[in-house]
Amino acid sequence: MAKAVEVGQSVHPLTALLVRDGLSATRYLKRIDQVHQALGFGAMAVRREKLTRWTRKGVTPERPALLAMASYHGIDLADVDRYGWPDFLYRALNDDCVVLESPWTAAGTVLSLTDLGGHVDRRAFLITSTGALGAIIAQWTTADPSLALPATGRRLGTSDARLFELRLDALRHLDDTVGSEQVYQGAVFELQMIRDRIENATYTEETGRRLFAAAAEASRLAGWCAYDEGRHAAAERHFVTALRAAATAQDPTLGALVLGFWANLRYNAEKSDPRGALHLIDAAMSDRKKISSPRVRAMLHARAARAHSKAGESTAAYGHIDEALAAYESAEAIEADLPALYWLSRGEIHQVAASSALSLGEPRKALDHFTAAATQEDPYDTEREIRGTVIYEARRAEAHLALGELDAAVAIGHHVIDAMGGVDSARSTSTLADLRTQLRRHQHVPTVAEFLSISA
């Protein structure tokens, strides 16, 4: 039988399938051989060394074997080409049922809190289709918030819930300095502790709601960190769980925050889904009077602007930037607002406006907003937001490049490399890769060639 896999460990999808089905390499290959012959491809060798070779990086089985595996696992044969090897096998790993199909009740939320990201790292995959988002939103708006309070266990009070809130606040700020990989582990650990208290302690309804709100924030933070690492399937699972917990906590502002972060994932995914992102944002804003935080409203408008820019809709994009700035003007000091949005500033909104303008093919307008982000009152915090600075600076270089200003683009590119020395982020690495791709068209220029060599 295949060796067991630790939760959260990154494994080859073929290995994960053998573990799930309890099959040895030889038994699995014999079954694939039967399908191979039934498809008219003839007999196939069933030595276990074959499977070992298939799970090595850079090795792709012959096409008949790929089709036989797809057929055996019930995968659409078109997905073999659509996703390639070994990614098409992820279509057979349906390990999202607990998060997606549990009832939207307090008991269903607790059940989803036990499902911490799945056994397989599916990287850029999303677990929900654009159509499925509608069903999730409908369930969120009609979720049953009733709490069945435990009858036995140690008594918890509001001070205990406050301790979890303080620990989560510290984790949010640690994310700025130690990076998403370590903070992800911390957020999952917090989620496990909170779930244990929800299940095994006694408390009032008020304390219970705060515990579920803390669970929602821990799961949202885990989702953000998974997204930053490029693990989109895990991120979506955490965002759905966070939305469930926010509903049980009866906290529409927290639910709107979760939807805003989830929307960010949808339009930035490898297969960008701006329509799905806008669907999530529209749901969050559908009853904006219930959103107690002006910063959350500002963030949602900023995310809507970015989604519209990805869809090529300039009027809507810039309109939402104006709405974001207007909402931010009504925000109180962060001490009186949602702590999770400590990073939002006018500078951040201008950075989003700049990125939107760049996506819309307006590099000069993008540079104006990049400048405003750094120079106006309440600027973007480049000291704290190192990862964001890397991403936005790389985009600023792209804007200069689009205007034919090679020297400026390369100079900023060098600053990006220097800043990345302390950054652990798949998003930052991807953004630099995009800049390098655009600069390769000018690799005959000595300064560009030098940069490409240094940044390789």
Side-chain angles (χ1 to χ4, degrees):
M1 184 177 295
K3 183 180 177 181
V5 179
E6 296 295 329
V7 174
Q9 180 182 351
S10 178
V11 296
H12 195 284
L14 183 53
T15 303
L17 285 169
L18 266 66
V19 170
R20 185 195 68 183
D21 297 339
L23 295 173
S24 67
T26 302
R27 286 181 63 197
Y28 178 78
L29 288 170
K30 286 180 178 178
R31 295 187 181 188
I32 299 302
D33 176 47
Q34 292 174 353
V35 179
H36 197 271
Q37 294 185 52
L39 292 174
F41 297 133
M44 184 186 79
V46 294
R47 294 185 302 273
R48 62 176 299 153
E49 292 81 4
K50 179 189 289 287
L51 193 139
T52 302
R53 189 171 64 253
W54 284 354
T55 55
R56 288 176 184 160
K57 186 176 182 180
V59 176
T60 302
E62 295 180 353
R63 184 168 181 78
L66 297 176
L67 296 175
M69 280 186 275
S71 181
Y72 172 74
H73 290 293
I75 300 169
D76 189 332
L77 297 184
D79 286 343
V80 173
D81 295 322
R82 184 178 298 123
Y83 296 106
W85 172 264
D87 287 351
F88 75 82
L89 291 176
Y90 288 124
R91 311 301 289 178
L93 287 163
N94 301 316
D95 59 345
D96 307 309
C97 295
V98 172
V99 169
L100 296 179
E101 298 177 10
S102 295
W104 282 68
T105 61
T109 297
V110 172
L111 188 61
S112 72
L113 292 175
T114 67
D115 198 38
L116 302 175
H119 293 259
V120 181
D121 178 5
R122 284 178 287 174
R123 288 290 157 185
F125 276 74
L126 297 173
I127 66 170
T128 52
S129 66
T130 302
L133 294 178
I136 292 173
I137 294 303
Q139 290 169 315
W140 172 58
T141 57
T142 60
D144 179 4
S146 301
L147 284 183
L149 299 176
T152 60
R154 178 181 175 273
R155 188 70 171 179
L156 298 184
T158 57
S159 61
D160 298 288
R162 178 60 177 158
L163 285 175
F164 283 120
E165 292 162 0
L166 290 171
R167 287 167 63 91
L168 288 169
D169 191 50
L171 269 182
R172 283 191 291 265
H173 288 278
L174 281 171
D175 180 45
D176 297 328
T177 56
V178 304
S180 54
E181 182 178 357
Q182 292 85 353
V183 173
Y184 176 81
Q185 299 298 330
V188 169
F189 181 70
E190 291 297 316
L191 195 57
Q192 291 172 321
M193 285 202 299
I194 296 166
R195 182 199 67 218
D196 178 74
R197 294 298 81 201
I198 287 173
E199 288 188 290
N200 299 309
T202 61
Y203 38 80
T204 65
E205 181 172 339
E206 177 190 357
T207 298
R209 302 285 182 204
R210 288 181 66 173
L211 289 173
F212 276 104
E217 176 57 13
S219 195
R220 183 203 65 80
L221 183 56
W224 160 252
C225 291
Y227 159 63
D228 189 57
E229 292 182 89
R231 299 189 296 112
H232 293 173
E236 273 209 308
R237 290 161 66 90
H238 284 301
F239 288 144
V240 176
T241 297
L243 194 63
R244 285 177 172 276
T248 303
Q250 289 187 304
D251 192 335
T253 300
L254 182 53
L257 177 70
V258 171
L259 289 170
F261 272 78
W262 190 1
N264 181 57
L265 165 63
R266 296 297 296 199
Y267 62 66
N268 278 324
E270 186 173 318
K271 294 186 178 180
S272 180
D273 179 24
R275 292 293 162 219
L278 289 168
H279 191 30
L280 294 171
I281 294 167
D282 287 345
M285 299 280 279
S286 61
D287 192 354
R288 66 187 66 191
K289 291 180 181 179
K290 291 183 178 179
I291 301 176
S292 61
S293 166
R295 279 184 172 80
V296 170
R297 292 195 294 272
M299 183 270 291
L300 289 170
H301 281 299
R303 297 280 160 90
R306 197 72 182 98
H308 280 294
S309 76
K310 294 271 188 174
E313 298 162 352
S314 59
T315 301
Y318 294 133
H320 277 288
I321 291 296
D322 292 339
E323 293 276 7
L325 289 168
Y328 188 81
E329 288 302 318
S330 64
E332 299 180 70
I334 187 60
E335 291 77 15
D337 208 325
L338 203 64
L341 283 176
Y342 67 93
W343 50 270
L344 189 65
S345 63
R346 291 185 190 86
E348 170 70 30
I349 296 171
H350 279 290
Q351 296 280 34
V352 173
S355 299
S356 299
L358 190 61
S359 294
L360 291 165
E362 299 184 60
R364 181 60 64 192
K365 192 167 189 173
L367 288 176
D368 290 342
H369 280 291
F370 280 130
T371 299
T375 60
Q376 51 88 62
E377 187 180 348
D378 191 22
Y380 185 79
D381 191 338
T382 57
E383 294 295 323
R384 183 183 63 205
E385 302 288 344
I386 299 175
R387 278 171 299 177
T389 297
V390 167
I391 291 169
Y392 289 134
E393 283 294 277
R395 290 175 184 164
R396 187 162 72 93
E398 289 181 30
H400 281 291
L401 189 58
L403 292 167
E405 299 166 356
L406 275 178
D407 290 343
V410 171
I412 295 170
H414 283 291
H415 292 154
V416 168
I417 294 174
D418 291 340
M420 284 190 69
V423 170
D424 174 22
S425 169
R427 292 185 303 126
S428 302
T429 302
S430 175
T431 305
L432 177 60
D434 291 342
L435 176 60
R436 282 175 46 80
T437 297
Q438 294 183 47
L439 280 169
R440 284 195 188 98
R441 288 174 289 181
H442 306 278
Q443 58 187 340
H444 60 281
V445 179
T447 54
V448 174
E450 180 188 13
F451 173 78
L452 291 173
S453 176
I454 292 172
S455 60

